[in-house]
Amino acid sequence: MTLTVDTLTEWINNFTTKIATNQQLLSDLDTPIGDGDHGFNMNRGMQAVSQKLTAKPASVTAALKTIAMTLISTVGGASGPLYGTAFLEMAKKSSSTNDLGELLDAALAGIEKRGGAQPGDKTMVDVWTVLVPAVKAGKLTKEKITAAVSATKEMVAKKGRASYLGERSKGHIDPGSQSSGYLFEAMIETKGLL
Amino acid sequence: MKKIINDPANVVPEMVAGMVRSYPQFINKISDAEAVVRADQKSMTGKVGLVSGGGSGHEPTHAGFVGKGMLSAAVCGQVFTSPTPDQIYAAIKSVDQGQGVFLIIKNYSGDIMNFDMAKDLAEMDNIKVRSIVVDDDIAVENSTFTQGRRGVAGTIFMHKILGVAAQQGASLDEIAALAEKVLPNIKTIAVALSAATNPETGKPGFVLKDDEIEFGVGIHSEPGYRREKIRPAKDLVEELVNKLDSELHLNSSKKYAVLVNGMGATPLMEQYIFSNDLLNKLNQFKIKPAFMKIGNYMTSLDMAGISLTMFELADESWLDALKYPVETIAW
């Protein structure tokens, strides 16, 4: 579970592919409860990240910092700072460890701090809170990811723009949770990462 | 939609270029960012940098208040959209003189997240950053973009007071303490006759009938607290002052600064009529404002309407700070 420049690059490129394939679906999820641009914003950001990673980064720390800075400068909205913070916290942590579990712990703490969301608020935190421990226990599966993402459907949003809909936010999967689901699926598909 | 623009996607860079090229005596553009920095860099030497910013569409806020005695830099996001952390960070870096940088943020979720993130980036580079979140709008507790109250026209007074403190060499801690002290004394409430039309969407944020007004709208066309038929100016004054009174408990033994702010498409004639009625109304409280400003300071593109800000001058030095001469485009 040690992150290297190669496994990190492959993981992120897998994520980029998933986002590109599903950008319309993500934006459609964002339309009833947000402002309808999550997929397009994430795709713009990840295309830029993959472009940056074509030149092999000098270290895991440098690569994580590049990913973070690219996301925060290209995604915009709330997703840019949230995903950007996740990778920036991983970059900071990677100066002392390259263990994926520990890096993901730092990323989750960063997301919680930046957005101020708790588990149950119908945000990407709901997915990360369930899946980071699964990664650390060596038990991350596609089924677990699907279950974590689907669980946000019946929640009432307490954070982000969806929170203004109150009860009406029920019945919709949270778009940020879905894109985070793809990030964890991309881990499973990366040889030698987990 | 009828606007004097070229391509809706380029409104912000073209506007910023227009501002810096028209007013080189006050501001320069920061390279690689849609942000401006004080032209008179010498006046910032060895002092705390003061950075404000947010979405564009509120002109002359924020860039119009950059200059000697006021802001050191301002960041211009897309229309009604927070600037990204890298842009804010570029502004922070451009004004850091080793004494730290203070950020003035308006209470919108996007702004808070992006400015916080910029703060983290700056701290990774060992730049000390502190900030204040302005939430002067008393109309609603939560809005389409905020948790809690919105930050609106009262932010102008925050720019002015902190700008003078920074100019006079106050430390980062002193500026942070001053900001906290000033904040609860600034309250704002607005009334709109029509919504703003964002050039990128081409549609107004909401539609009011010809004879309708809405109390408590925000600066991005967020909904207010009540719609009703248009009434004479003095009735609007009555409503807005009573709302402010319930927050500030207006009292003739205290001093107040007042800002009557046009939302972008309100003729100055109407703003002066409103001000005239306002002074009559305040007279009933035996209050004569110690400081007044009337005009377009925190707009919402082409929204028609007015916001009223009252600032209780709890400290005598704040009045001096409001009167302190500055060199900016818009103050």
Side-chain angles (χ1 to χ4, degrees), chain B residues 185-199:
Chain B
N185 295 288
I186 302 177
K187 301 294 174 196
T188 303
I189 183 97
V191 60
L193 282 60
S194 71
T197 297
N198 182 330

Side-chain angles (χ1 to χ4, degrees), chain A residues 3-90:
Chain A
L3 202 58
T4 64
V5 170
D6 288 337
T7 55
L8 172 60
T9 306
E10 194 191 330
W11 168 34
I12 295 304
N13 286 338
N14 288 340
F15 179 49
T16 303
T17 306
K18 284 188 176 296
I19 292 287
T21 309
N22 296 291
Q23 60 170 316
Q24 188 63 52
L25 182 144
L26 286 171
S27 288
D28 288 348
L29 287 177
D30 194 32
T31 301
I33 58 171
D35 50 3
D37 57 4
H38 184 60
F40 309 125
N41 289 343
M42 287 301 294
N43 187 55
R44 188 177 52 243
M46 291 315 298
Q47 292 300 328
V49 167
S50 284
Q51 188 58 44
K52 280 261 167 58
L53 292 177
T54 49
K56 189 170 175 171
S59 66
V60 167
T61 302
L64 288 165
K65 196 165 177 189
T66 298
I67 295 165
M69 293 307 289
T70 308
L71 287 173
I72 66 171
S73 59
T74 54
V75 178
S79 303
L82 287 164
Y83 277 104
T85 298
F87 283 98
L88 194 66
E89 291 303 318
M90 286 166 79

Side-chain angles (χ1 to χ4, degrees), chain A residues 37-165:
Chain A
D37 57 4
H38 184 60
F40 309 125
N41 289 343
M42 287 301 294
N43 187 55
R44 188 177 52 243
M46 291 315 298
Q47 292 300 328
V49 167
S50 284
Q51 188 58 44
K52 280 261 167 58
L53 292 177
T54 49
K56 189 170 175 171
S59 66
V60 167
T61 302
L64 288 165
K65 196 165 177 189
T66 298
I67 295 165
M69 293 307 289
T70 308
L71 287 173
I72 66 171
S73 59
T74 54
V75 178
S79 303
L82 287 164
Y83 277 104
T85 298
F87 283 98
L88 194 66
E89 291 303 318
M90 286 166 79
K92 286 186 198 168
K93 187 79 190 172
S94 68
S95 60
S96 58
T97 175
N98 280 351
D99 176 76
L100 181 62
E102 288 189 53
L103 295 175
L104 292 174
D105 269 339
L108 172 56
I111 295 167
E112 286 179 315
K113 178 179 129 230
R114 178 75 55 223
Q118 307 287 325
D121 287 352
K122 196 180 178 104
T123 70
M124 63 197 285
V125 167
D126 291 300
V127 169
W128 284 70
T129 305
V130 173
L131 299 183
V132 172
V135 171
K136 291 170 79 174
K139 292 184 176 158
L140 184 69
T141 61
K142 278 232 157 103
E143 293 70 29
K144 268 208 177 104
I145 295 169
T146 306
V149 172
S150 303
T152 64
K153 188 168 179 174
E154 290 314 311
M155 293 177 185
V156 173
K158 305 234 172 38
K159 278 281 168 194
R161 210 167 280 193
S163 65
Y164 301 110
L165 295 170

Side-chain angles (χ1 to χ4, degrees), chain B residues 47 56 62 66 68 78 83 118 126 175 194 196 203 215 255:
Chain B
K47 291 169 183 165
S56 291
H62 308 80
V66 173
K68 192 173 179 179
Q78 288 302 311
N126 299 316
I175 290 174
S194 71
K203 294 190 186 69
F215 287 111
K255 284 190 175 165

Side-chain angles (χ1 to χ4, degrees), chain B residues 53-122:
Chain B
S56 291
H58 307 301
E59 294 65 39
T61 296
H62 308 80
F65 300 113
V66 173
K68 192 173 179 179
M70 224 163 160
L71 300 174
S72 323
V75 199
C76 315
Q78 288 302 311
V79 176
F80 293 171
T81 304
S82 169
T84 54
D86 55 306
Q87 305 257 312
I88 302 163
Y89 174 57
I92 292 173
K93 266 212 304 214
S94 74
V95 303
D96 176 48
Q97 297 272 332
Q99 304 303 311
V101 175
F102 192 83
L103 308 177
I104 300 170
I105 309 166
K106 293 187 295 311
N107 191 26
Y108 295 98
S109 312
D111 287 52
I112 299 230
M113 257 193 251
N114 285 289
F115 274 83
D116 265 357
M117 177 110 218
K119 211 190 231 186
D120 281 2
L121 296 174

